[in-house]
């Protein structure tokens, strides 16, 4: 049996005020927690919606680019790359359009899994015989694996499949590198001559060839292109830059007299008196 408690009016008033204060202090904390949870849920929903949009874009046009980057980053952040690739393999086993197979190859290559990427991309190439992205990315994977002659063949196939102009130049650059690694400087030179014949008036082609040749250590070929660029351009500043690069390469090749002659000519142009 409970005994009834009796409080004085002052004590009862104090207790009521204390309860009210306690409620006021606790209410904002719950509200903040609810708001935080609500914000997290909203951000997660927006992130998933963005992912779904980029995945849809990637499925419409499987290729390296922003859509692939965003899909890859999403799974990398959540630690689900393995699960996503497993789902793609399952889909690829029954799909005939090659979309899942190509995306799988792109994802595997992005992760540095050359063997898995090559296998998927070879399958994708058979399913999508007109898609140059399959052959181009396969060439890159083969080159990374050190299979340079096979990479050359893949790049050649990519060039026959009507790539976009900007991509065509990039494929030629990759082809030239692979050709040099597979067959030496003469093989690379044959590729560069093909590209120059295809686009004879494009100075960017010469500059790209010069840059790639220099990166690959083919100094003589780079020198020839920079000298040609200096002759072709009508821009005085660019002409000076190209001649300086040519002089630097002549020094690297041990031709000091030719380099000195170029530098003296440039100094005369800067200070004719």
């Amino acid at each position: 049996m409970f005994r009834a408690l009796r409080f004085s009016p002052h004590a009862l008033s104090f207790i009521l005020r204390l309860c009210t204060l306690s409620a006021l202090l606790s209410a904002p904390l719950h509200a903040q927690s609810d708001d935080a949870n609500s914000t997290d849920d909203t951000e997660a929903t927006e992130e998933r919606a963005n992912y779904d949009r980029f995945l849809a874009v990637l499925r419409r046009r499987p290729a390296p680019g922003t859509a692939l980057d965003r899909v890859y980053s999403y799974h990398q952040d959540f630690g689900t790359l393995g699960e996503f690739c497993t789902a793609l393999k399952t889909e690829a086993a029954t799909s005939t359009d090659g979309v899942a197979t190509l995306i799988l190859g792109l994802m595997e290559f992005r992760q540095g899994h050359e063997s898995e990427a090559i296998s998927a991309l070879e399958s994708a190439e058979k399913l999508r015989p007109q898609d140059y992205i399959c052959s181009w990315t396969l060439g890159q994977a083969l080159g990374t694996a050190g299979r340079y002659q096979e990479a050359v063949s893949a790049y050649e196939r990519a060039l026959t499949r009507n790539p976009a102009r900007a991509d065509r130049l990039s494929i030629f650059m990759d082809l030239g590198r692979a050709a040099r690694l597979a067959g030496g400087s003469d093989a690379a030179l044959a590729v560069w001559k093909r590209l120059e014949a295809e686009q004879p008036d494009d100075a960017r082609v010469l500059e790209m060839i010069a840059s790639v040749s220099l990166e690959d250590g083919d100094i003589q070929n780079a020198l020839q292109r920079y000298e040609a660029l200096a002759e072709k351009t009508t821009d005085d500043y660019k002409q000076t830059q190209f001649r300086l690069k040519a002089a630097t390469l002549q020094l690297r090749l041990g031709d000091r007299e030719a380099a000195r002659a170029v530098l003296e000519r440039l100094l005369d142009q800067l200070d004719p008196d």
Side-chain angles (χ1 to χ4, degrees), residues 78-210:
F78 285 93
T80 55
L81 277 170
E83 295 174 18
F84 183 58
C85 287
T86 298
L88 288 171
K89 289 177 185 177
T90 302
E91 181 183 347
T94 57
S95 175
T96 59
D97 62 8
V99 171
T101 309
L102 177 51
I103 295 175
L104 174 62
L106 294 168
M107 296 292 288
E108 294 286 17
F109 185 49
R110 183 71 176 270
Q111 294 176 84
H113 303 161
E114 285 87 10
S115 179
E116 293 85 349
I118 289 169
S119 178
L121 291 165
E122 286 177 336
S123 297
E125 192 178 33
K126 293 174 184 176
L127 292 168
R128 301 171 66 85
Q130 301 305 315
D131 190 345
Y132 69 89
I133 294 295
C134 299
S135 305
W136 184 13
T137 312
L138 175 59
Q140 292 173 333
L142 288 165
T144 302
R147 296 161 60 177
Y148 303 119
Q149 192 57 59
E150 292 174 83
V152 167
S153 298
Y155 292 135
E156 292 286 12
R157 291 195 299 274
L159 289 172
T160 66
R161 293 172 179 172
N162 196 31
R165 186 176 185 278
D167 286 344
R168 187 173 184 83
L169 287 176
S170 297
I171 294 169
F172 257 114
M173 294 298 113
D174 288 343
L175 173 59
R177 287 190 174 101
R180 184 175 185 277
L181 291 167
S185 298
D186 289 343
L189 183 59
V191 173
W192 303 142
K193 286 182 177 179
R194 281 172 54 194
L195 179 55
E196 288 170 334
E198 189 175 293
Q199 302 188 46
D201 299 322
D202 194 337
R204 293 177 305 164
V205 169
L206 276 178
E207 195 164 357
M208 289 175 69
I209 293 172

Side-chain angles (χ1 to χ4, degrees), residues 12-25:
L12 185 58
S13 176
F14 174 76
I15 291 171
L16 290 172
R17 281 164 33 194
L18 184 62
C19 291
T20 302
L21 179 61
S22 176
L24 289 172
L25 289 173

